[in-house]
Amino acid sequence: MKGRLQSLLQSQRRTRQQGPYICSGCLHKNRDFTRSIPSTAQYPPARRRHQSTLAQAVSAAQHVFNGAPKTDPRLAGVSVDPLRIVGKELKFLTSNIQQLLGSGHPMLDTVAKYYTHSEGKHVRPLLVLLMSRATALTPKAARHPSLPSASAIDSPISPPTVLSDVNPSSPTYDALSAASIKSAYNSESSDILPSQRRLAEITELIHTASLLHDDVIDNSIARRSSPSANVSFGNKMAVLAGDFLLGRASVALARLRDAEVIELLATVIANLVEGEFMQLKNTALDESNPTWTEDSLSYYIQKTYLKSASLISKSCRAAALLGQNSPEVVESAYSYGKNLGLAFQLVDDMLDYTTTSESLGKPAGADLELGLATAPLLFAWKDNQQLGVLVGRKFAADGDVQMARNLVAHSDGLEQTRALAQDYADKAAYAISTFPDSEAKEGLLEMCVKTMNRRK
Ligand code: FPP
Ligand code: MG
């Protein structure tokens, strides 16, 4: 796989020398994603407290996290493997998702399932499953709807003849009610409900749909160490396949028969688009006179919540709701997801500066190339007004990207980003402190540690 990505990046370098690369439906503005970037060794993970001005900026985005102690002792000495804790449930994830995505149109079938063939991290389903298990023994509250039967999540609500009206040979609705999906669920007894497992699959469908669209928007050439869907099939098919995933996710969501959960996940889809719009057009920035203000960071945190953390926070909340948990437990699950989601994206934005394309399986250093000022740059800018000019023109002039990279490397931007991510990870751990001790709770705590330590 690594060799594949390397040759993709090399061929991109070659075509860049030869001129723009045209793929069906899109014009790629090629950029060299492999230029050398500072190694992580230059940025020891030492924690550094933010100055009070930073604290003020972050507090402007207080609505996306709750208060917690600064350093959380719960993260010390945790060493369970989260994947093992819900391994049996995760084993069926990809095949079930592929069944949810069946289409009678062979090309649509191929493009829709394309990203399911490469190894994703499955972070969102993993968190949903861990949260479901960790809240199996927490205090419960009667709510409407009550627990759906195991078969309900596979059963159509409308008459099947209506759902398959002009498409009778489509595997779609057969697949959604297929015994094969049920048998996978029934093959072992589990304290994770069928509806919670389906929710885990839905989160991966929504996430994958957003990646299909994101790779078109970012003109990305690689994802998960393979050519991205837009490169393989063109922009039009990639976008339509993303839409198809959202359609199938919506059908599966409706069959959970829980209006509150449907409302949450539908809001996530809108949030993803809102976050992406905030990124496309920064309304907190005066491009003709770009100056660092407290708003620069709070706008970034809000965007980060919408584009990344919202799916994690609202799906953790939905998992607790499906488990008939008390309002306190539901809030804790939500707070865990909000804070972990923010930590996750902050680390992602840090890795974009510190890791290679080969290691990430996608182009590293892409954010500056795309004109994006993420946390490392925002922190560097705060101490060096010189960066404002580059931010204002989105690093588009010759040498801008390299200059910005150098200025970030010689600032404490990466260190401050890591420290902020650690604060959020600590808050996530604190949020579930009232849960009874269990292996799944340890798994959720370990996810906080893994989020901070990940290299890809
Ligand atoms: C990856 O960001 C992208 C996202 C987290 C969300 C993208 C959202 C949209 C494109 C809106 C449309 C949403 C749906 C559901 C159709 P990144 O570019 O920072 O990360 P990357 O390096 O992995 O590409
Ligand atoms: Mg992208």
Side-chain angles (χ1 to χ4, degrees), residues 14-45:
R14 273 198 303 279
T15 43
R16 185 170 181 255
Q17 284 151 12
Q18 290 157 8
Y21 161 70
I22 298 165
C23 90
S24 47
C26 67
L27 184 69
H28 286 269
K29 219 173 103 193
N30 279 283
R31 290 170 161 187
D32 185 2
F33 291 115
T34 56
R35 69 180 73 215
S36 71
I37 52 169
S39 86
T40 39
Q42 283 173 256
Y43 306 104

Side-chain angles (χ1 to χ4, degrees), residues 124 206-207 209-211 213-215 217-218 220 223 242-243 246 269 272-273 276 279 307-308 345 348-349 352 362-363 366-367 370 372:
R124 292 144 194 90
I206 295 174
H207 173 61
S210 79
L211 296 183
H213 286 192
D214 179 70
D215 286 341
I217 293 168
D218 291 352
S220 187
R223 168 81 59 193
D243 294 341
L246 290 181
I269 296 173
L272 282 162
V273 177
E276 200 65 16
Q279 183 166 289
K307 119 173 187 180
S308 292
Q345 187 59 42
D348 215 70
D349 291 347
D352 193 65
K362 61 184 182 182
D367 288 340
L370 290 166
L372 300 178

Side-chain angles (χ1 to χ4, degrees), residues 124 128 195-196 198-207 246 249-254 256 258-273 306 309-322:
R124 292 144 194 90
V128 165
S195 57
Q196 292 171 319
R198 178 56 49 79
L199 174 67
E201 292 155 12
I202 291 167
T203 62
E204 189 65 11
L205 282 175
I206 295 174
H207 173 61
L246 290 181
S250 304
V251 173
L253 192 54
L256 296 180
D258 188 319
E260 192 173 352
V261 169
I262 295 169
E263 181 183 57
L264 280 170
L265 273 291
T267 303
V268 166
I269 296 173
N271 286 168
L272 282 162
V273 177
L306 292 170
S310 173
L311 176 53
I312 297 177
S313 70
K314 293 187 180 75
S315 60
C316 282
R317 184 181 185 93
L321 284 167
L322 290 170

Side-chain angles (χ1 to χ4, degrees), residues 136-414:
L137 293 174
T138 44
K140 305 292 163 202
R143 65 180 285 271
H144 296 284
S146 54
L147 273 180
S149 71
S151 60
I153 63 161
D154 293 318
S155 306
I157 299 167
S158 308
T161 46
V162 171
L163 296 175
S164 303
D165 42 19
V166 297
N167 221 0
S169 63
S170 160
T172 311
Y173 296 100
D174 294 345
L176 284 173
S177 58
S180 50
I181 292 186
K182 271 189 247 170
S183 68
Y185 283 146
N186 291 342
S187 63
E188 20 114 22
S189 62
S190 170
D191 52 355
I192 301 178
L193 301 165
S195 57
Q196 292 171 319
R197 292 190 226 176
R198 178 56 49 79
L199 174 67
E201 292 155 12
I202 291 167
T203 62
E204 189 65 11
L205 282 175
I206 295 174
H207 173 61
T208 309
S210 79
L211 296 183
L212 283 161
H213 286 192
D214 179 70
D215 286 341
V216 170
I217 293 168
D218 291 352
N219 276 338
S220 187
I221 57 159
R223 168 81 59 193
R224 296 173 183 165
S225 303
S226 294
S228 50
N230 43 305
V231 165
S232 297
F233 307 105
N235 282 354
K236 292 179 187 176
M237 286 194 190
V239 168
L240 289 169
D243 294 341
F244 184 69
L245 262 66
L246 290 181
R248 286 295 167 80
S250 304
V251 173
L253 192 54
R255 290 180 187 177
L256 296 180
R257 293 163 162 83
D258 188 319
E260 192 173 352
V261 169
I262 295 169
E263 181 183 57
L264 280 170
L265 273 291
T267 303
V268 166
I269 296 173
N271 286 168
L272 282 162
V273 177
E274 288 167 319
E276 200 65 16
F277 253 85
M278 285 181 77
Q279 183 166 289
L280 280 177
K281 180 75 196 124
N282 187 338
T283 53
L285 184 76
D286 175 0
E287 280 171 21
S288 59
N289 179 28
T291 41
W292 197 95
T293 68
E294 307 288 315
D295 281 351
S296 313
L297 196 66
S298 56
Y299 185 91
Y300 162 82
I301 296 288
Q302 191 189 354
K303 174 208 83 170
T304 300
Y305 175 74
L306 292 170
K307 119 173 187 180
S308 292
S310 173
L311 176 53
I312 297 177
S313 70
K314 293 187 180 75
S315 60
C316 282
R317 184 181 185 93
L321 284 167
L322 290 170
Q324 311 288 306
N325 281 287
S326 70
E328 293 74 24
V329 173
V330 169
E331 292 307 326
S332 300
Y334 176 51
S335 175
Y336 172 89
K338 275 193 290 194
N339 288 295
L340 189 74
L342 286 167
F344 190 87
Q345 187 59 42
L346 280 163
V347 171
D348 215 70
D349 291 347
M350 196 176 69
L351 291 175
D352 193 65
Y353 280 85
T354 60
T355 307
T356 62
S357 302
E358 282 69 28
S359 165
L360 287 177
K362 61 184 182 182
D367 288 340
L368 285 174
E369 301 277 0
L370 290 166
L372 300 178
T374 60
L377 188 120
L378 292 176
F379 285 122
W381 179 20
K382 181 169 179 280
D383 293 333
N384 184 348
Q385 294 309 307
Q386 202 190 338
L387 271 163
V389 185
L390 278 63
V391 173
R393 58 181 186 231
K394 297 192 169 153
F395 317 101
D398 272 357
D400 276 5
V401 168
Q402 194 53 51
M403 188 190 293
R405 216 185 291 289
N406 291 342
L407 291 172
V408 169
H410 290 98
S411 75
D412 61 3
L414 288 159

